Amino acid sequence: MTGYILKRLLSAVPVLLGITVIVFLIMAMIPGDPALAILGAYATPENVAKINRDLGLDAPLVARYFIWLGNMLTGDFGTSFSLNRPVIDEVLDRFSATLLLAGTSFVLCSVLGIAAGVISAAKQYGWADKGITFAVLLGISIPSFFLGMMMILIFAVELRWFPVSGMKMAYGGGGFADVANHLVMPAFALAVVATGVVARLSRSAMLEVLRQDFIRTARAKGVREGRVVWGHALRAAMVSIIPVLGIQAGFVLSGAVYIEMVFQWPGVGRMLVDAILKRDILLVQGGVVFVAACYVLFNIAVDVAQSLLDPRIKT
């Protein structure tokens, strides 16, 4: 197992390097001079030249990339000019909020999606199967940002069950109940599409397993149907379900960008949008690379979990 984990970690290195190249080139190709965006009304030729020199923007493109990559490998992601603080400090502060939102959504889509898929497969062609299939198709068809806005209109503005936006009350908030109350709508809006995907693929995986010989043998021995479905069949189906969960983890992490904007959630997604509008290059690059690294590490953890369920995967 240790050798398998090391092999997966080594295979992640070129992926992360490729991400750094893509992010750097995209930011370099954005039209306009970053120095002009930074200085605004104070953009005299002398000030522009000084900013370009201080940020290293006057160096060749290849040299700028390797300087940035070398600094990042030593833990120096640079300093955000718009916030006047180290990029890594800002990213870590914002990532805790994104992790709370994405983590809650991931747990919701995993638990609800797998449960719906198992029930739908166990009751194939029954009313439960038809009802779950209809709900899944409806959930997949509704964009998360639109669902979020509708939830704000209905549950926050009209019914006033939940707060409109933010992560906590401006004054006297921050407790567990307050944060949980603010979390309900964005987490649910982000989880709906992923739940539908997990449910559909869980149903397919379960149907395939339920047709296998060992399931018929268990039933012939008189094992209770609940144990057959939730014990034997689900365990075998998890080998196919776990990779889907890894993909959906990336979906909820990337989907957090627009959900954070809709609900004004103070996470990395909202930070990146603000940084792009301000042309804060180092903050955008550092934030994207950090989030991408977290996603790559999570996928390695998913592969390890899958190999524990099916040791043949390591070979």
PDB file of all heavy atoms in Angstrom, residues 238-278:
ATOM      1  N   MET A 238     -19.557  -0.085  -4.058  1.00  0.00           N
ATOM      2  CA  MET A 238     -18.760   1.084  -3.681  1.00  0.00           C
ATOM      3  C   MET A 238     -17.475   1.197  -4.489  1.00  0.00           C
ATOM      4  O   MET A 238     -16.931   2.290  -4.648  1.00  0.00           O
ATOM      5  CB  MET A 238     -18.422   1.024  -2.185  1.00  0.00           C
ATOM      6  CG  MET A 238     -19.588   1.362  -1.271  1.00  0.00           C
ATOM      7  SD  MET A 238     -20.289   3.005  -1.557  1.00  0.00           S
ATOM      8  CE  MET A 238     -18.904   4.041  -1.081  1.00  0.00           C
ATOM      9  N   VAL A 239     -16.978   0.073  -5.009  1.00  0.00           N
ATOM     10  CA  VAL A 239     -15.782   0.122  -5.859  1.00  0.00           C
ATOM     11  C   VAL A 239     -16.039   0.996  -7.081  1.00  0.00           C
ATOM     12  O   VAL A 239     -15.150   1.720  -7.540  1.00  0.00           O
ATOM     13  CB  VAL A 239     -15.369  -1.302  -6.286  1.00  0.00           C
ATOM     14  CG1 VAL A 239     -14.183  -1.258  -7.241  1.00  0.00           C
ATOM     15  CG2 VAL A 239     -15.044  -2.140  -5.073  1.00  0.00           C
ATOM     16  N   SER A 240     -17.262   0.953  -7.613  1.00  0.00           N
ATOM     17  CA  SER A 240     -17.620   1.798  -8.767  1.00  0.00           C
ATOM     18  C   SER A 240     -18.119   3.172  -8.349  1.00  0.00           C
ATOM     19  O   SER A 240     -18.035   4.131  -9.135  1.00  0.00           O
ATOM     20  CB  SER A 240     -18.708   1.093  -9.589  1.00  0.00           C
ATOM     21  OG  SER A 240     -18.273  -0.172 -10.041  1.00  0.00           O
ATOM     22  N   ILE A 241     -18.631   3.294  -7.134  1.00  0.00           N
ATOM     23  CA  ILE A 241     -19.210   4.565  -6.689  1.00  0.00           C
ATOM     24  C   ILE A 241     -18.134   5.536  -6.219  1.00  0.00           C
ATOM     25  O   ILE A 241     -18.241   6.752  -6.449  1.00  0.00           O
ATOM     26  CB  ILE A 241     -20.242   4.316  -5.565  1.00  0.00           C
ATOM     27  CG1 ILE A 241     -21.429   3.511  -6.104  1.00  0.00           C
ATOM     28  CG2 ILE A 241     -20.731   5.618  -4.964  1.00  0.00           C
ATOM     29  CD1 ILE A 241     -22.411   3.068  -5.027  1.00  0.00           C
ATOM     30  N   ILE A 242     -17.084   5.026  -5.583  1.00  0.00           N
ATOM     31  CA  ILE A 242     -16.062   5.897  -5.003  1.00  0.00           C
ATOM     32  C   ILE A 242     -15.409   6.826  -6.044  1.00  0.00           C
ATOM     33  O   ILE A 242     -15.231   8.017  -5.782  1.00  0.00           O
ATOM     34  CB  ILE A 242     -15.004   5.063  -4.254  1.00  0.00           C
ATOM     35  CG1 ILE A 242     -15.572   4.595  -2.911  1.00  0.00           C
ATOM     36  CG2 ILE A 242     -13.731   5.859  -4.019  1.00  0.00           C
ATOM     37  CD1 ILE A 242     -14.632   3.752  -2.102  1.00  0.00           C
ATOM     38  N   PRO A 243     -15.046   6.351  -7.257  1.00  0.00           N
ATOM     39  CA  PRO A 243     -14.494   7.291  -8.250  1.00  0.00           C
ATOM     40  C   PRO A 243     -15.461   8.414  -8.617  1.00  0.00           C
ATOM     41  O   PRO A 243     -15.038   9.545  -8.880  1.00  0.00           O
ATOM     42  CB  PRO A 243     -14.203   6.393  -9.456  1.00  0.00           C
ATOM     43  CG  PRO A 243     -14.046   5.035  -8.890  1.00  0.00           C
ATOM     44  CD  PRO A 243     -14.992   4.963  -7.747  1.00  0.00           C
ATOM     45  N   VAL A 244     -16.756   8.101  -8.628  1.00  0.00           N
ATOM     46  CA  VAL A 244     -17.765   9.131  -8.914  1.00  0.00           C
ATOM     47  C   VAL A 244     -17.752  10.194  -7.819  1.00  0.00           C
ATOM     48  O   VAL A 244     -17.869  11.396  -8.089  1.00  0.00           O
ATOM     49  CB  VAL A 244     -19.162   8.493  -9.031  1.00  0.00           C
ATOM     50  CG1 VAL A 244     -20.220   9.556  -9.287  1.00  0.00           C
ATOM     51  CG2 VAL A 244     -19.176   7.449 -10.120  1.00  0.00           C
ATOM     52  N   LEU A 245     -17.586   9.764  -6.567  1.00  0.00           N
ATOM     53  CA  LEU A 245     -17.524  10.705  -5.460  1.00  0.00           C
ATOM     54  C   LEU A 245     -16.308  11.617  -5.609  1.00  0.00           C
ATOM     55  O   LEU A 245     -16.366  12.811  -5.287  1.00  0.00           O
ATOM     56  CB  LEU A 245     -17.462   9.956  -4.125  1.00  0.00           C
ATOM     57  CG  LEU A 245     -18.681   9.093  -3.781  1.00  0.00           C
ATOM     58  CD1 LEU A 245     -18.482   8.418  -2.431  1.00  0.00           C
ATOM     59  CD2 LEU A 245     -19.956   9.930  -3.768  1.00  0.00           C
ATOM     60  N   GLY A 246     -15.188  11.054  -6.081  1.00  0.00           N
ATOM     61  CA  GLY A 246     -14.009  11.887  -6.296  1.00  0.00           C
ATOM     62  C   GLY A 246     -14.249  12.967  -7.337  1.00  0.00           C
ATOM     63  O   GLY A 246     -13.825  14.119  -7.173  1.00  0.00           O
ATOM     64  N   ILE A 247     -14.948  12.610  -8.418  1.00  0.00           N
ATOM     65  CA  ILE A 247     -15.270  13.599  -9.456  1.00  0.00           C
ATOM     66  C   ILE A 247     -16.206  14.666  -8.911  1.00  0.00           C
ATOM     67  O   ILE A 247     -16.046  15.861  -9.185  1.00  0.00           O
ATOM     68  CB  ILE A 247     -15.882  12.895 -10.675  1.00  0.00           C
ATOM     69  CG1 ILE A 247     -14.862  11.964 -11.316  1.00  0.00           C
ATOM     70  CG2 ILE A 247     -16.387  13.918 -11.696  1.00  0.00           C
ATOM     71  CD1 ILE A 247     -15.427  11.096 -12.419  1.00  0.00           C
ATOM     72  N   GLN A 248     -17.191  14.246  -8.124  1.00  0.00           N
ATOM     73  CA  GLN A 248     -18.147  15.209  -7.575  1.00  0.00           C
ATOM     74  C   GLN A 248     -17.506  16.121  -6.541  1.00  0.00           C
ATOM     75  O   GLN A 248     -17.967  17.245  -6.331  1.00  0.00           O
ATOM     76  CB  GLN A 248     -19.345  14.467  -6.969  1.00  0.00           C
ATOM     77  CG  GLN A 248     -20.166  13.711  -7.987  1.00  0.00           C
ATOM     78  CD  GLN A 248     -20.491  14.542  -9.213  1.00  0.00           C
ATOM     79  OE1 GLN A 248     -21.079  15.612  -9.109  1.00  0.00           O
ATOM     80  NE2 GLN A 248     -20.101  14.045 -10.380  1.00  0.00           N
ATOM     81  N   ALA A 249     -16.438  15.641  -5.884  1.00  0.00           N
ATOM     82  CA  ALA A 249     -15.699  16.527  -4.974  1.00  0.00           C
ATOM     83  C   ALA A 249     -15.118  17.700  -5.743  1.00  0.00           C
ATOM     84  O   ALA A 249     -15.142  18.850  -5.271  1.00  0.00           O
ATOM     85  CB  ALA A 249     -14.594  15.745  -4.262  1.00  0.00           C
ATOM     86  N   GLY A 250     -14.598  17.425  -6.942  1.00  0.00           N
ATOM     87  CA  GLY A 250     -14.112  18.517  -7.787  1.00  0.00           C
ATOM     88  C   GLY A 250     -15.225  19.435  -8.240  1.00  0.00           C
ATOM     89  O   GLY A 250     -15.043  20.653  -8.330  1.00  0.00           O
ATOM     90  N   PHE A 251     -16.411  18.839  -8.498  1.00  0.00           N
ATOM     91  CA  PHE A 251     -17.553  19.661  -8.918  1.00  0.00           C
ATOM     92  C   PHE A 251     -17.976  20.635  -7.821  1.00  0.00           C
ATOM     93  O   PHE A 251     -18.198  21.820  -8.084  1.00  0.00           O
ATOM     94  CB  PHE A 251     -18.725  18.763  -9.309  1.00  0.00           C
ATOM     95  CG  PHE A 251     -19.998  19.515  -9.574  1.00  0.00           C
ATOM     96  CD1 PHE A 251     -20.211  20.135 -10.787  1.00  0.00           C
ATOM     97  CD2 PHE A 251     -20.971  19.618  -8.595  1.00  0.00           C
ATOM     98  CE1 PHE A 251     -21.381  20.852 -11.023  1.00  0.00           C
ATOM     99  CE2 PHE A 251     -22.142  20.317  -8.820  1.00  0.00           C
ATOM    100  CZ  PHE A 251     -22.351  20.942 -10.034  1.00  0.00           C
ATOM    101  N   VAL A 252     -18.111  20.141  -6.597  1.00  0.00           N
ATOM    102  CA  VAL A 252     -18.573  21.027  -5.520  1.00  0.00           C
ATOM    103  C   VAL A 252     -17.490  22.063  -5.180  1.00  0.00           C
ATOM    104  O   VAL A 252     -17.810  23.198  -4.792  1.00  0.00           O
ATOM    105  CB  VAL A 252     -18.975  20.232  -4.258  1.00  0.00           C
ATOM    106  CG1 VAL A 252     -20.150  19.328  -4.541  1.00  0.00           C
ATOM    107  CG2 VAL A 252     -17.809  19.426  -3.691  1.00  0.00           C
ATOM    108  N   LEU A 253     -16.214  21.681  -5.352  1.00  0.00           N
ATOM    109  CA  LEU A 253     -15.143  22.636  -5.067  1.00  0.00           C
ATOM    110  C   LEU A 253     -15.126  23.752  -6.109  1.00  0.00           C
ATOM    111  O   LEU A 253     -14.954  24.932  -5.768  1.00  0.00           O
ATOM    112  CB  LEU A 253     -13.799  21.910  -5.035  1.00  0.00           C
ATOM    113  CG  LEU A 253     -12.635  22.620  -4.338  1.00  0.00           C
ATOM    114  CD1 LEU A 253     -12.978  22.957  -2.892  1.00  0.00           C
ATOM    115  CD2 LEU A 253     -11.383  21.748  -4.383  1.00  0.00           C
ATOM    116  N   SER A 254     -15.309  23.391  -7.383  1.00  0.00           N
ATOM    117  CA  SER A 254     -15.349  24.420  -8.428  1.00  0.00           C
ATOM    118  C   SER A 254     -16.679  25.159  -8.421  1.00  0.00           C
ATOM    119  O   SER A 254     -16.734  26.365  -8.670  1.00  0.00           O
ATOM    120  CB  SER A 254     -15.115  23.778  -9.798  1.00  0.00           C
ATOM    121  OG  SER A 254     -16.118  22.812 -10.071  1.00  0.00           O
ATOM    122  N   GLY A 255     -17.769  24.438  -8.130  1.00  0.00           N
ATOM    123  CA  GLY A 255     -19.079  25.084  -8.082  1.00  0.00           C
ATOM    124  C   GLY A 255     -19.217  26.066  -6.943  1.00  0.00           C
ATOM    125  O   GLY A 255     -20.082  26.955  -6.976  1.00  0.00           O
ATOM    126  N   ALA A 256     -18.350  25.934  -5.948  1.00  0.00           N
ATOM    127  CA  ALA A 256     -18.391  26.874  -4.832  1.00  0.00           C
ATOM    128  C   ALA A 256     -18.111  28.301  -5.285  1.00  0.00           C
ATOM    129  O   ALA A 256     -18.501  29.262  -4.606  1.00  0.00           O
ATOM    130  CB  ALA A 256     -17.380  26.461  -3.762  1.00  0.00           C
ATOM    131  N   VAL A 257     -17.451  28.474  -6.446  1.00  0.00           N
ATOM    132  CA  VAL A 257     -17.123  29.814  -6.936  1.00  0.00           C
ATOM    133  C   VAL A 257     -18.394  30.632  -7.143  1.00  0.00           C
ATOM    134  O   VAL A 257     -18.545  31.730  -6.592  1.00  0.00           O
ATOM    135  CB  VAL A 257     -16.314  29.737  -8.251  1.00  0.00           C
ATOM    136  CG1 VAL A 257     -16.115  31.133  -8.829  1.00  0.00           C
ATOM    137  CG2 VAL A 257     -14.969  29.075  -7.998  1.00  0.00           C
ATOM    138  N   TYR A 258     -19.340  30.112  -7.951  1.00  0.00           N
ATOM    139  CA  TYR A 258     -20.543  30.911  -8.227  1.00  0.00           C
ATOM    140  C   TYR A 258     -21.541  30.856  -7.070  1.00  0.00           C
ATOM    141  O   TYR A 258     -22.289  31.815  -6.862  1.00  0.00           O
ATOM    142  CB  TYR A 258     -21.204  30.501  -9.553  1.00  0.00           C
ATOM    143  CG  TYR A 258     -21.395  29.033  -9.779  1.00  0.00           C
ATOM    144  CD1 TYR A 258     -22.487  28.358  -9.248  1.00  0.00           C
ATOM    145  CD2 TYR A 258     -20.508  28.313 -10.565  1.00  0.00           C
ATOM    146  CE1 TYR A 258     -22.674  27.014  -9.471  1.00  0.00           C
ATOM    147  CE2 TYR A 258     -20.680  26.961 -10.800  1.00  0.00           C
ATOM    148  CZ  TYR A 258     -21.770  26.317 -10.247  1.00  0.00           C
ATOM    149  OH  TYR A 258     -21.959  24.976 -10.472  1.00  0.00           O
ATOM    150  N   ILE A 259     -21.552  29.768  -6.309  1.00  0.00           N
ATOM    151  CA  ILE A 259     -22.439  29.735  -5.146  1.00  0.00           C
ATOM    152  C   ILE A 259     -21.976  30.757  -4.106  1.00  0.00           C
ATOM    153  O   ILE A 259     -22.801  31.426  -3.460  1.00  0.00           O
ATOM    154  CB  ILE A 259     -22.473  28.315  -4.540  1.00  0.00           C
ATOM    155  CG1 ILE A 259     -23.215  27.364  -5.473  1.00  0.00           C
ATOM    156  CG2 ILE A 259     -23.158  28.331  -3.172  1.00  0.00           C
ATOM    157  CD1 ILE A 259     -24.671  27.711  -5.696  1.00  0.00           C
ATOM    158  N   GLU A 260     -20.676  30.904  -3.936  1.00  0.00           N
ATOM    159  CA  GLU A 260     -20.157  31.907  -3.008  1.00  0.00           C
ATOM    160  C   GLU A 260     -20.511  33.318  -3.463  1.00  0.00           C
ATOM    161  O   GLU A 260     -20.758  34.202  -2.633  1.00  0.00           O
ATOM    162  CB  GLU A 260     -18.645  31.765  -2.867  1.00  0.00           C
ATOM    163  CG  GLU A 260     -18.231  30.552  -2.042  1.00  0.00           C
ATOM    164  CD  GLU A 260     -16.738  30.366  -1.948  1.00  0.00           C
ATOM    165  OE1 GLU A 260     -15.994  31.200  -2.510  1.00  0.00           O
ATOM    166  OE2 GLU A 260     -16.292  29.392  -1.318  1.00  0.00           O
ATOM    167  N   MET A 261     -20.560  33.536  -4.768  1.00  0.00           N
ATOM    168  CA  MET A 261     -20.946  34.860  -5.266  1.00  0.00           C
ATOM    169  C   MET A 261     -22.439  35.095  -5.052  1.00  0.00           C
ATOM    170  O   MET A 261     -22.848  36.197  -4.669  1.00  0.00           O
ATOM    171  CB  MET A 261     -20.598  34.981  -6.753  1.00  0.00           C
ATOM    172  CG  MET A 261     -19.109  34.980  -7.037  1.00  0.00           C
ATOM    173  SD  MET A 261     -18.221  36.306  -6.158  1.00  0.00           S
ATOM    174  CE  MET A 261     -18.993  37.754  -6.893  1.00  0.00           C
ATOM    175  N   VAL A 262     -23.260  34.078  -5.286  1.00  0.00           N
ATOM    176  CA  VAL A 262     -24.710  34.228  -5.111  1.00  0.00           C
ATOM    177  C   VAL A 262     -25.053  34.524  -3.658  1.00  0.00           C
ATOM    178  O   VAL A 262     -25.866  35.407  -3.358  1.00  0.00           O
ATOM    179  CB  VAL A 262     -25.446  32.960  -5.597  1.00  0.00           C
ATOM    180  CG1 VAL A 262     -26.923  33.010  -5.201  1.00  0.00           C
ATOM    181  CG2 VAL A 262     -25.324  32.811  -7.107  1.00  0.00           C
ATOM    182  N   PHE A 263     -24.429  33.784  -2.731  1.00  0.00           N
ATOM    183  CA  PHE A 263     -24.749  33.923  -1.312  1.00  0.00           C
ATOM    184  C   PHE A 263     -23.753  34.801  -0.557  1.00  0.00           C
ATOM    185  O   PHE A 263     -23.840  34.892   0.671  1.00  0.00           O
ATOM    186  CB  PHE A 263     -24.799  32.542  -0.643  1.00  0.00           C
ATOM    187  CG  PHE A 263     -25.976  31.711  -1.058  1.00  0.00           C
ATOM    188  CD1 PHE A 263     -25.882  30.805  -2.107  1.00  0.00           C
ATOM    189  CD2 PHE A 263     -27.202  31.837  -0.406  1.00  0.00           C
ATOM    190  CE1 PHE A 263     -26.967  30.032  -2.488  1.00  0.00           C
ATOM    191  CE2 PHE A 263     -28.289  31.076  -0.782  1.00  0.00           C
ATOM    192  CZ  PHE A 263     -28.175  30.171  -1.827  1.00  0.00           C
ATOM    193  N   GLN A 264     -22.819  35.432  -1.295  1.00  0.00           N
ATOM    194  CA  GLN A 264     -21.805  36.284  -0.664  1.00  0.00           C
ATOM    195  C   GLN A 264     -21.078  35.543   0.468  1.00  0.00           C
ATOM    196  O   GLN A 264     -20.861  36.070   1.554  1.00  0.00           O
ATOM    197  CB  GLN A 264     -22.448  37.576  -0.134  1.00  0.00           C
ATOM    198  CG  GLN A 264     -22.947  38.503  -1.216  1.00  0.00           C
ATOM    199  CD  GLN A 264     -21.832  38.961  -2.145  1.00  0.00           C
ATOM    200  OE1 GLN A 264     -20.946  39.702  -1.731  1.00  0.00           O
ATOM    201  NE2 GLN A 264     -21.856  38.522  -3.391  1.00  0.00           N
ATOM    202  N   TRP A 265     -20.735  34.306   0.187  1.00  0.00           N
ATOM    203  CA  TRP A 265     -20.015  33.467   1.154  1.00  0.00           C
ATOM    204  C   TRP A 265     -18.523  33.817   1.071  1.00  0.00           C
ATOM    205  O   TRP A 265     -17.937  33.819   0.000  1.00  0.00           O
ATOM    206  CB  TRP A 265     -20.242  31.996   0.801  1.00  0.00           C
ATOM    207  CG  TRP A 265     -19.739  31.029   1.830  1.00  0.00           C
ATOM    208  CD1 TRP A 265     -18.528  30.409   1.843  1.00  0.00           C
ATOM    209  CD2 TRP A 265     -20.444  30.557   2.984  1.00  0.00           C
ATOM    210  NE1 TRP A 265     -18.438  29.587   2.930  1.00  0.00           N
ATOM    211  CE2 TRP A 265     -19.594  29.653   3.654  1.00  0.00           C
ATOM    212  CE3 TRP A 265     -21.704  30.818   3.510  1.00  0.00           C
ATOM    213  CZ2 TRP A 265     -19.969  29.006   4.826  1.00  0.00           C
ATOM    214  CZ3 TRP A 265     -22.080  30.173   4.683  1.00  0.00           C
ATOM    215  CH2 TRP A 265     -21.214  29.279   5.326  1.00  0.00           C
ATOM    216  N   PRO A 266     -17.867  34.121   2.184  1.00  0.00           N
ATOM    217  CA  PRO A 266     -16.485  34.640   2.142  1.00  0.00           C
ATOM    218  C   PRO A 266     -15.433  33.552   1.944  1.00  0.00           C
ATOM    219  O   PRO A 266     -14.560  33.342   2.789  1.00  0.00           O
ATOM    220  CB  PRO A 266     -16.350  35.302   3.517  1.00  0.00           C
ATOM    221  CG  PRO A 266     -17.220  34.480   4.418  1.00  0.00           C
ATOM    222  CD  PRO A 266     -18.399  34.076   3.569  1.00  0.00           C
ATOM    223  N   GLY A 267     -15.481  32.843   0.805  1.00  0.00           N
ATOM    224  CA  GLY A 267     -14.548  31.766   0.555  1.00  0.00           C
ATOM    225  C   GLY A 267     -13.566  32.077  -0.550  1.00  0.00           C
ATOM    226  O   GLY A 267     -13.459  33.214  -1.032  1.00  0.00           O
ATOM    227  N   VAL A 268     -12.838  31.045  -0.992  1.00  0.00           N
ATOM    228  CA  VAL A 268     -11.814  31.215  -2.020  1.00  0.00           C
ATOM    229  C   VAL A 268     -12.437  31.606  -3.357  1.00  0.00           C
ATOM    230  O   VAL A 268     -11.864  32.409  -4.103  1.00  0.00           O
ATOM    231  CB  VAL A 268     -11.002  29.912  -2.168  1.00  0.00           C
ATOM    232  CG1 VAL A 268     -10.039  29.998  -3.347  1.00  0.00           C
ATOM    233  CG2 VAL A 268     -10.220  29.619  -0.890  1.00  0.00           C
ATOM    234  N   GLY A 269     -13.600  31.059  -3.690  1.00  0.00           N
ATOM    235  CA  GLY A 269     -14.241  31.385  -4.959  1.00  0.00           C
ATOM    236  C   GLY A 269     -14.540  32.869  -5.087  1.00  0.00           C
ATOM    237  O   GLY A 269     -14.232  33.495  -6.109  1.00  0.00           O
ATOM    238  N   ARG A 270     -15.130  33.433  -4.068  1.00  0.00           N
ATOM    239  CA  ARG A 270     -15.416  34.870  -4.079  1.00  0.00           C
ATOM    240  C   ARG A 270     -14.124  35.672  -4.109  1.00  0.00           C
ATOM    241  O   ARG A 270     -14.032  36.690  -4.793  1.00  0.00           O
ATOM    242  CB  ARG A 270     -16.241  35.228  -2.846  1.00  0.00           C
ATOM    243  CG  ARG A 270     -16.671  36.681  -2.787  1.00  0.00           C
ATOM    244  CD  ARG A 270     -17.485  36.937  -1.542  1.00  0.00           C
ATOM    245  NE  ARG A 270     -17.706  38.352  -1.317  1.00  0.00           N
ATOM    246  CZ  ARG A 270     -18.187  38.850  -0.200  1.00  0.00           C
ATOM    247  NH1 ARG A 270     -18.525  38.035   0.791  1.00  0.00           N
ATOM    248  NH2 ARG A 270     -18.364  40.147  -0.056  1.00  0.00           N
ATOM    249  N   MET A 271     -13.096  35.206  -3.394  1.00  0.00           N
ATOM    250  CA  MET A 271     -11.797  35.881  -3.400  1.00  0.00           C
ATOM    251  C   MET A 271     -11.196  35.892  -4.800  1.00  0.00           C
ATOM    252  O   MET A 271     -10.651  36.908  -5.250  1.00  0.00           O
ATOM    253  CB  MET A 271     -10.851  35.160  -2.436  1.00  0.00           C
ATOM    254  CG  MET A 271      -9.437  35.728  -2.375  1.00  0.00           C
ATOM    255  SD  MET A 271      -8.230  34.530  -1.744  1.00  0.00           S
ATOM    256  CE  MET A 271      -8.061  33.443  -3.181  1.00  0.00           C
ATOM    257  N   LEU A 272     -11.300  34.762  -5.526  1.00  0.00           N
ATOM    258  CA  LEU A 272     -10.718  34.686  -6.860  1.00  0.00           C
ATOM    259  C   LEU A 272     -11.433  35.617  -7.831  1.00  0.00           C
ATOM    260  O   LEU A 272     -10.788  36.265  -8.663  1.00  0.00           O
ATOM    261  CB  LEU A 272     -10.784  33.243  -7.370  1.00  0.00           C
ATOM    262  CG  LEU A 272      -9.818  32.250  -6.705  1.00  0.00           C
ATOM    263  CD1 LEU A 272     -10.073  30.842  -7.218  1.00  0.00           C
ATOM    264  CD2 LEU A 272      -8.372  32.648  -6.941  1.00  0.00           C
ATOM    265  N   VAL A 273     -12.758  35.680  -7.743  1.00  0.00           N
ATOM    266  CA  VAL A 273     -13.503  36.580  -8.632  1.00  0.00           C
ATOM    267  C   VAL A 273     -13.097  38.031  -8.371  1.00  0.00           C
ATOM    268  O   VAL A 273     -12.841  38.800  -9.313  1.00  0.00           O
ATOM    269  CB  VAL A 273     -15.017  36.393  -8.428  1.00  0.00           C
ATOM    270  CG1 VAL A 273     -15.792  37.453  -9.211  1.00  0.00           C
ATOM    271  CG2 VAL A 273     -15.450  35.007  -8.862  1.00  0.00           C
ATOM    272  N   ASP A 274     -13.018  38.418  -7.115  1.00  0.00           N
ATOM    273  CA  ASP A 274     -12.596  39.779  -6.778  1.00  0.00           C
ATOM    274  C   ASP A 274     -11.172  40.047  -7.259  1.00  0.00           C
ATOM    275  O   ASP A 274     -10.868  41.136  -7.762  1.00  0.00           O
ATOM    276  CB  ASP A 274     -12.682  40.005  -5.265  1.00  0.00           C
ATOM    277  CG  ASP A 274     -14.114  40.002  -4.761  1.00  0.00           C
ATOM    278  OD1 ASP A 274     -15.032  40.216  -5.576  1.00  0.00           O
ATOM    279  OD2 ASP A 274     -14.318  39.777  -3.547  1.00  0.00           O
ATOM    280  N   ALA A 275     -10.288  39.049  -7.104  1.00  0.00           N
ATOM    281  CA  ALA A 275      -8.895  39.220  -7.511  1.00  0.00           C
ATOM    282  C   ALA A 275      -8.769  39.350  -9.023  1.00  0.00           C
ATOM    283  O   ALA A 275      -7.951  40.137  -9.525  1.00  0.00           O
ATOM    284  CB  ALA A 275      -8.061  38.047  -7.007  1.00  0.00           C
ATOM    285  N   ILE A 276      -9.578  38.602  -9.779  1.00  0.00           N
ATOM    286  CA  ILE A 276      -9.545  38.706 -11.236  1.00  0.00           C
ATOM    287  C   ILE A 276     -10.007  40.095 -11.682  1.00  0.00           C
ATOM    288  O   ILE A 276      -9.416  40.709 -12.581  1.00  0.00           O
ATOM    289  CB  ILE A 276     -10.429  37.614 -11.858  1.00  0.00           C
ATOM    290  CG1 ILE A 276      -9.799  36.241 -11.638  1.00  0.00           C
ATOM    291  CG2 ILE A 276     -10.636  37.866 -13.348  1.00  0.00           C
ATOM    292  CD1 ILE A 276     -10.691  35.091 -12.031  1.00  0.00           C
ATOM    293  N   LEU A 277     -11.061  40.599 -11.057  1.00  0.00           N
ATOM    294  CA  LEU A 277     -11.563  41.935 -11.425  1.00  0.00           C
ATOM    295  C   LEU A 277     -10.540  43.019 -11.118  1.00  0.00           C
ATOM    296  O   LEU A 277     -10.479  44.046 -11.812  1.00  0.00           O
ATOM    297  CB  LEU A 277     -12.864  42.216 -10.668  1.00  0.00           C
ATOM    298  CG  LEU A 277     -14.059  41.321 -11.030  1.00  0.00           C
ATOM    299  CD1 LEU A 277     -15.247  41.638 -10.141  1.00  0.00           C
ATOM    300  CD2 LEU A 277     -14.428  41.488 -12.493  1.00  0.00           C
ATOM    301  N   LYS A 278      -9.712  42.803 -10.101  1.00  0.00           N
ATOM    302  CA  LYS A 278      -8.688  43.785  -9.714  1.00  0.00           C
ATOM    303  C   LYS A 278      -7.331  43.513 -10.357  1.00  0.00           C
ATOM    304  O   LYS A 278      -6.374  44.237 -10.081  1.00  0.00           O
ATOM    305  CB  LYS A 278      -8.531  43.800  -8.193  1.00  0.00           C
ATOM    306  CG  LYS A 278      -9.776  44.253  -7.449  1.00  0.00           C
ATOM    307  CD  LYS A 278      -9.587  44.146  -5.948  1.00  0.00           C
ATOM    308  CE  LYS A 278     -10.838  44.545  -5.189  1.00  0.00           C
ATOM    309  NZ  LYS A 278     -10.703  44.367  -3.722  1.00  0.00           N
TER     310      LYS A 278
END
